[in-house]
Amino acid sequence: MTVGEQFYIRVYNAVDSIISNSGTIARLGITATGTAILTQVVVTAISYSLDLYRGDITVEEYKNLVLEAVKTAGIATPIVFLLLVAVLALFPEFTVVLSAPVVVAGFNALFGMSIAMPIIQSLLRHVQAGGFGMETETADAYRNQLGDSTPV
């Protein structure tokens, strides 16, 4: 069997697999897209709510940031999902690699960081802007305890 024939059989099997499992693939794709959109909305809303509270951004800007996150997740997730399905259908051996515990743990860590970083950055912006009562009696008492009587 030639390389061309082997490739033809691989593509034929991939297309056949995708078509015969299209209902399941569609449900998984819709679920993945919905989950990605919901996650992005929550993370974006949390990340910018302190900026909104301080008045650094307007309600309109806040809405635009959330809508932009919805659009980005709503466009990127189905594209990535379809590419992943196509690659896994063409090269089923990648399924074993992608399901390895180390790879799964790495993906989970990256996902966790992608959620945590915007929230941490928001908290840092808030602290730098003087949020969280940085000029309160508690902060002054803490400074006095350290031997520095300079107000915060």
Side-chain angles (χ1 to χ4, degrees):
M1 190 178 290
T2 67
V3 173
E5 291 171 330
Q6 290 175 354
F7 184 72
Y8 173 79
I9 290 171
R10 188 176 281 261
V11 170
Y12 178 84
N13 287 339
V15 170
D16 183 53
S17 175
I18 290 172
I19 290 171
S20 63
N21 296 306
S22 61
T24 302
I25 292 170
R27 283 191 299 277
L28 286 172
I30 290 168
T31 301
T33 302
T35 303
I37 289 172
L38 183 60
T39 302
Q40 281 304 118
V41 165
V42 170
V43 169
T44 303
I46 290 171
S47 298
Y48 289 102
S49 59
L50 289 173
D51 297 329
L52 178 64
Y53 173 76
R54 279 193 320 276
D56 291 347
I57 60 174
T58 65
V59 173
E60 193 61 37
E61 289 170 320
Y62 183 77
K63 286 180 191 176
N64 289 338
L65 288 167
V66 172
L67 287 175
E68 188 62 35
V70 168
K71 283 191 257 181
T72 302
I75 292 170
T77 303
I79 292 170
V80 170
F81 182 80
L82 289 175
L83 286 174
L84 182 65
V85 166
V87 167
L88 291 177
L90 282 171
F91 306 102
E93 39 294 329
F94 284 145
T95 305
V96 175
V97 174
L98 289 176
S99 64
V102 172
V103 175
V104 172
F107 283 138
N108 286 338
L110 287 174
F111 182 65
M113 290 301 293
S114 71
I115 290 175
M117 287 309 294
I119 295 170
I120 291 169
Q121 290 169 344
S122 172
L123 293 172
L124 290 175
R125 284 193 310 270
H126 193 64
V127 167
Q128 289 171 348
F132 297 122
M134 294 301 285
E135 297 179 11
T136 64
E137 297 169 8
T138 307
D140 290 339
Y142 178 72
R143 284 216 178 258
N144 289 336
Q145 196 174 37
L146 293 175
D148 184 9
S149 60
T150 324
V152 179

